[in-house]
Amino acid sequence: MKTVYKIIIACIITAIITGFVTAYITSEYYLNIPDAEFTCKDNASPDINGCCPGEELKDMGDLGFNCCPLDGGDCFPPIMK
């Protein structure tokens, strides 16, 4: 009977240690992910408004300010750094 209790205690201790190690590794991984840096096509830098070359900042009312291509197409939020 003592052997059974030893096995149960060993399993509980292993589960606790595994939980703490998993939580530590997960938190370290997610806290050290570098921020994505968004750039325009051909690695061009966005202008002061966050729009790429060939785009202009437009006020779209309830949708806020968005960058729209000069030749038409979908508008999208400006690039923020």
Side-chain angles (χ1 to χ4, degrees), residues 53-78:
E55 299 172 350
E56 65 179 347
L57 190 67
K58 287 188 178 180
D59 183 3
M60 300 184 74
D62 291 340
L63 298 175
F65 287 91
N66 291 303
C67 296
C68 301
L70 295 173
D71 57 356
D74 294 335
C75 300
F76 48 89

mmCIF file of all heavy atoms in Angstrom, residues 53-78:
data_model
loop_
_atom_site.group_PDB
_atom_site.id
_atom_site.type_symbol
_atom_site.label_atom_id
_atom_site.label_comp_id
_atom_site.label_asym_id
_atom_site.label_seq_id
_atom_site.Cartn_x
_atom_site.Cartn_y
_atom_site.Cartn_z
ATOM 1 N N PRO A 53 3.991 55.268 -50.607
ATOM 2 C CA PRO A 53 3.993 56.054 -51.839
ATOM 3 C C PRO A 53 2.887 55.568 -52.782
ATOM 4 O O PRO A 53 2.653 54.378 -52.923
ATOM 5 C CB PRO A 53 5.380 55.784 -52.435
ATOM 6 C CG PRO A 53 6.224 55.395 -51.267
ATOM 7 C CD PRO A 53 5.299 54.672 -50.332
ATOM 8 N N GLY A 54 2.183 56.525 -53.395
ATOM 9 C CA GLY A 54 1.082 56.183 -54.289
ATOM 10 C C GLY A 54 -0.246 56.055 -53.558
ATOM 11 O O GLY A 54 -1.240 55.626 -54.135
ATOM 12 N N GLU A 55 -0.268 56.448 -52.280
ATOM 13 C CA GLU A 55 -1.500 56.410 -51.496
ATOM 14 C C GLU A 55 -1.716 57.775 -50.855
ATOM 15 O O GLU A 55 -0.772 58.540 -50.668
ATOM 16 C CB GLU A 55 -1.408 55.365 -50.382
ATOM 17 C CG GLU A 55 -1.206 53.961 -50.865
ATOM 18 C CD GLU A 55 -0.925 53.000 -49.732
ATOM 19 O OE1 GLU A 55 -0.706 53.431 -48.583
ATOM 20 O OE2 GLU A 55 -0.922 51.802 -50.016
ATOM 21 N N GLU A 56 -2.964 58.061 -50.550
ATOM 22 C CA GLU A 56 -3.276 59.301 -49.844
ATOM 23 C C GLU A 56 -4.177 58.998 -48.660
ATOM 24 O O GLU A 56 -4.930 58.028 -48.664
ATOM 25 C CB GLU A 56 -3.932 60.311 -50.781
ATOM 26 C CG GLU A 56 -5.289 59.886 -51.299
ATOM 27 C CD GLU A 56 -5.929 60.921 -52.221
ATOM 28 O OE1 GLU A 56 -5.443 62.065 -52.257
ATOM 29 O OE2 GLU A 56 -6.896 60.566 -52.892
ATOM 30 N N LEU A 57 -4.091 59.835 -47.643
ATOM 31 C CA LEU A 57 -4.893 59.676 -46.436
ATOM 32 C C LEU A 57 -6.251 60.309 -46.681
ATOM 33 O O LEU A 57 -6.356 61.468 -47.065
ATOM 34 C CB LEU A 57 -4.194 60.332 -45.250
ATOM 35 C CG LEU A 57 -4.790 60.061 -43.885
ATOM 36 C CD1 LEU A 57 -4.608 58.591 -43.518
ATOM 37 C CD2 LEU A 57 -4.127 60.926 -42.833
ATOM 38 N N LYS A 58 -7.321 59.534 -46.480
ATOM 39 C CA LYS A 58 -8.680 60.034 -46.679
ATOM 40 C C LYS A 58 -9.495 59.847 -45.408
ATOM 41 O O LYS A 58 -9.355 58.845 -44.714
ATOM 42 C CB LYS A 58 -9.378 59.275 -47.815
ATOM 43 C CG LYS A 58 -8.881 59.616 -49.185
ATOM 44 C CD LYS A 58 -9.750 58.970 -50.239
ATOM 45 C CE LYS A 58 -9.290 59.349 -51.632
ATOM 46 N NZ LYS A 58 -10.126 58.736 -52.668
ATOM 47 N N ASP A 59 -10.360 60.830 -45.151
ATOM 48 C CA ASP A 59 -11.298 60.728 -44.031
ATOM 49 C C ASP A 59 -12.515 59.959 -44.527
ATOM 50 O O ASP A 59 -13.225 60.412 -45.419
ATOM 51 C CB ASP A 59 -11.691 62.116 -43.544
ATOM 52 C CG ASP A 59 -12.599 62.071 -42.329
ATOM 53 O OD1 ASP A 59 -12.875 60.969 -41.820
ATOM 54 O OD2 ASP A 59 -13.027 63.158 -41.884
ATOM 55 N N MET A 60 -12.747 58.785 -43.944
ATOM 56 C CA MET A 60 -13.849 57.939 -44.403
ATOM 57 C C MET A 60 -15.007 57.945 -43.402
ATOM 58 O O MET A 60 -15.739 56.966 -43.274
ATOM 59 C CB MET A 60 -13.337 56.529 -44.658
ATOM 60 C CG MET A 60 -12.240 56.500 -45.718
ATOM 61 S SD MET A 60 -11.692 54.874 -46.134
ATOM 62 C CE MET A 60 -13.067 54.307 -47.105
ATOM 63 N N GLY A 61 -15.176 59.047 -42.696
ATOM 64 C CA GLY A 61 -16.294 59.199 -41.769
ATOM 65 C C GLY A 61 -16.203 58.258 -40.586
ATOM 66 O O GLY A 61 -15.257 58.311 -39.814
ATOM 67 N N ASP A 62 -17.194 57.383 -40.441
ATOM 68 C CA ASP A 62 -17.244 56.459 -39.305
ATOM 69 C C ASP A 62 -16.082 55.467 -39.303
ATOM 70 O O ASP A 62 -15.742 54.909 -38.271
ATOM 71 C CB ASP A 62 -18.564 55.669 -39.312
ATOM 72 C CG ASP A 62 -19.755 56.561 -38.990
ATOM 73 O OD1 ASP A 62 -19.543 57.640 -38.404
ATOM 74 O OD2 ASP A 62 -20.896 56.173 -39.325
ATOM 75 N N LEU A 63 -15.484 55.226 -40.462
ATOM 76 C CA LEU A 63 -14.366 54.275 -40.558
ATOM 77 C C LEU A 63 -13.038 54.915 -40.186
ATOM 78 O O LEU A 63 -12.020 54.239 -40.114
ATOM 79 C CB LEU A 63 -14.284 53.696 -41.972
ATOM 80 C CG LEU A 63 -15.503 52.901 -42.434
ATOM 81 C CD1 LEU A 63 -15.332 52.494 -43.892
ATOM 82 C CD2 LEU A 63 -15.711 51.682 -41.560
ATOM 83 N N GLY A 64 -13.020 56.212 -39.981
ATOM 84 C CA GLY A 64 -11.792 56.906 -39.598
ATOM 85 C C GLY A 64 -10.943 57.257 -40.804
ATOM 86 O O GLY A 64 -11.393 57.224 -41.951
ATOM 87 N N PHE A 65 -9.695 57.576 -40.548
ATOM 88 C CA PHE A 65 -8.759 57.929 -41.618
ATOM 89 C C PHE A 65 -8.099 56.661 -42.138
ATOM 90 O O PHE A 65 -7.621 55.837 -41.364
ATOM 91 C CB PHE A 65 -7.700 58.900 -41.098
ATOM 92 C CG PHE A 65 -8.236 60.277 -40.884
ATOM 93 C CD1 PHE A 65 -8.752 60.650 -39.658
ATOM 94 C CD2 PHE A 65 -8.236 61.196 -41.919
ATOM 95 C CE1 PHE A 65 -9.258 61.921 -39.452
ATOM 96 C CE2 PHE A 65 -8.742 62.480 -41.721
ATOM 97 C CZ PHE A 65 -9.253 62.844 -40.484
ATOM 98 N N ASN A 66 -8.072 56.516 -43.466
ATOM 99 C CA ASN A 66 -7.481 55.339 -44.094
ATOM 100 C C ASN A 66 -6.636 55.753 -45.288
ATOM 101 O O ASN A 66 -6.849 56.810 -45.884
ATOM 102 C CB ASN A 66 -8.575 54.369 -44.556
ATOM 103 C CG ASN A 66 -9.279 53.721 -43.391
ATOM 104 O OD1 ASN A 66 -8.648 53.089 -42.568
ATOM 105 N ND2 ASN A 66 -10.587 53.901 -43.307
ATOM 106 N N CYS A 67 -5.669 54.914 -45.640
ATOM 107 C CA CYS A 67 -4.828 55.139 -46.808
ATOM 108 C C CYS A 67 -5.506 54.499 -48.016
ATOM 109 O O CYS A 67 -5.864 53.326 -47.986
ATOM 110 C CB CYS A 67 -3.451 54.518 -46.598
ATOM 111 S SG CYS A 67 -2.529 55.281 -45.256
ATOM 112 N N CYS A 68 -5.654 55.290 -49.072
ATOM 113 C CA CYS A 68 -6.308 54.800 -50.284
ATOM 114 C C CYS A 68 -5.366 54.978 -51.469
ATOM 115 O O CYS A 68 -4.755 56.034 -51.625
ATOM 116 C CB CYS A 68 -7.594 55.568 -50.538
ATOM 117 S SG CYS A 68 -8.786 55.437 -49.195
ATOM 118 N N PRO A 69 -5.239 53.951 -52.330
ATOM 119 C CA PRO A 69 -4.393 54.085 -53.513
ATOM 120 C C PRO A 69 -4.918 55.195 -54.424
ATOM 121 O O PRO A 69 -6.130 55.376 -54.557
ATOM 122 C CB PRO A 69 -4.503 52.721 -54.191
ATOM 123 C CG PRO A 69 -5.009 51.792 -53.145
ATOM 124 C CD PRO A 69 -5.823 52.619 -52.203
ATOM 125 N N LEU A 70 -4.004 55.937 -55.051
ATOM 126 C CA LEU A 70 -4.388 57.033 -55.939
ATOM 127 C C LEU A 70 -5.103 56.521 -57.189
ATOM 128 O O LEU A 70 -5.943 57.222 -57.744
ATOM 129 C CB LEU A 70 -3.152 57.845 -56.339
ATOM 130 C CG LEU A 70 -2.452 58.580 -55.189
ATOM 131 C CD1 LEU A 70 -1.154 59.203 -55.680
ATOM 132 C CD2 LEU A 70 -3.367 59.626 -54.600
ATOM 133 N N ASP A 71 -4.775 55.284 -57.623
ATOM 134 C CA ASP A 71 -5.382 54.735 -58.832
ATOM 135 C C ASP A 71 -6.630 53.892 -58.531
ATOM 136 O O ASP A 71 -7.118 53.168 -59.378
ATOM 137 C CB ASP A 71 -4.365 53.912 -59.619
ATOM 138 C CG ASP A 71 -3.767 52.782 -58.802
ATOM 139 O OD1 ASP A 71 -4.086 52.677 -57.606
ATOM 140 O OD2 ASP A 71 -2.973 52.002 -59.369
ATOM 141 N N GLY A 72 -7.152 53.991 -57.323
ATOM 142 C CA GLY A 72 -8.352 53.246 -56.934
ATOM 143 C C GLY A 72 -7.993 51.934 -56.265
ATOM 144 O O GLY A 72 -6.871 51.455 -56.344
ATOM 145 N N GLY A 73 -8.948 51.365 -55.604
ATOM 146 C CA GLY A 73 -8.715 50.107 -54.908
ATOM 147 C C GLY A 73 -9.145 50.205 -53.458
ATOM 148 O O GLY A 73 -9.749 51.190 -53.035
ATOM 149 N N ASP A 74 -8.866 49.166 -52.705
ATOM 150 C CA ASP A 74 -9.279 49.104 -51.308
ATOM 151 C C ASP A 74 -8.438 50.027 -50.437
ATOM 152 O O ASP A 74 -7.234 50.151 -50.614
ATOM 153 C CB ASP A 74 -9.142 47.672 -50.773
ATOM 154 C CG ASP A 74 -10.121 46.722 -51.453
ATOM 155 O OD1 ASP A 74 -11.166 47.186 -51.932
ATOM 156 O OD2 ASP A 74 -9.821 45.524 -51.504
ATOM 157 N N CYS A 75 -9.109 50.654 -49.473
ATOM 158 C CA CYS A 75 -8.439 51.487 -48.481
ATOM 159 C C CYS A 75 -8.192 50.656 -47.235
ATOM 160 O O CYS A 75 -8.877 49.665 -46.975
ATOM 161 C CB CYS A 75 -9.303 52.688 -48.137
ATOM 162 S SG CYS A 75 -9.659 53.746 -49.563
ATOM 163 N N PHE A 76 -7.183 51.048 -46.467
ATOM 164 C CA PHE A 76 -6.829 50.299 -45.268
ATOM 165 C C PHE A 76 -6.211 51.257 -44.261
ATOM 166 O O PHE A 76 -5.794 52.353 -44.614
ATOM 167 C CB PHE A 76 -5.871 49.152 -45.600
ATOM 168 C CG PHE A 76 -4.737 49.582 -46.463
ATOM 169 C CD1 PHE A 76 -3.568 50.070 -45.906
ATOM 170 C CD2 PHE A 76 -4.828 49.526 -47.840
ATOM 171 C CE1 PHE A 76 -2.519 50.469 -46.691
ATOM 172 C CE2 PHE A 76 -3.774 49.948 -48.634
ATOM 173 C CZ PHE A 76 -2.620 50.414 -48.056
ATOM 174 N N PRO A 77 -6.171 50.843 -42.983
ATOM 175 C CA PRO A 77 -5.612 51.750 -41.961
ATOM 176 C C PRO A 77 -4.140 52.062 -42.212
ATOM 177 O O PRO A 77 -3.415 51.259 -42.796
ATOM 178 C CB PRO A 77 -5.747 50.928 -40.669
ATOM 179 C CG PRO A 77 -6.787 49.901 -40.954
ATOM 180 C CD PRO A 77 -6.697 49.617 -42.419
ATOM 181 N N PRO A 78 -3.707 53.248 -41.795
ATOM 182 C CA PRO A 78 -2.300 53.625 -41.980
ATOM 183 C C PRO A 78 -1.363 52.738 -41.151
ATOM 184 O O PRO A 78 -1.758 52.150 -40.159
ATOM 185 C CB PRO A 78 -2.224 55.065 -41.497
ATOM 186 C CG PRO A 78 -3.560 55.428 -40.979
ATOM 187 C CD PRO A 78 -4.490 54.292 -41.185
#
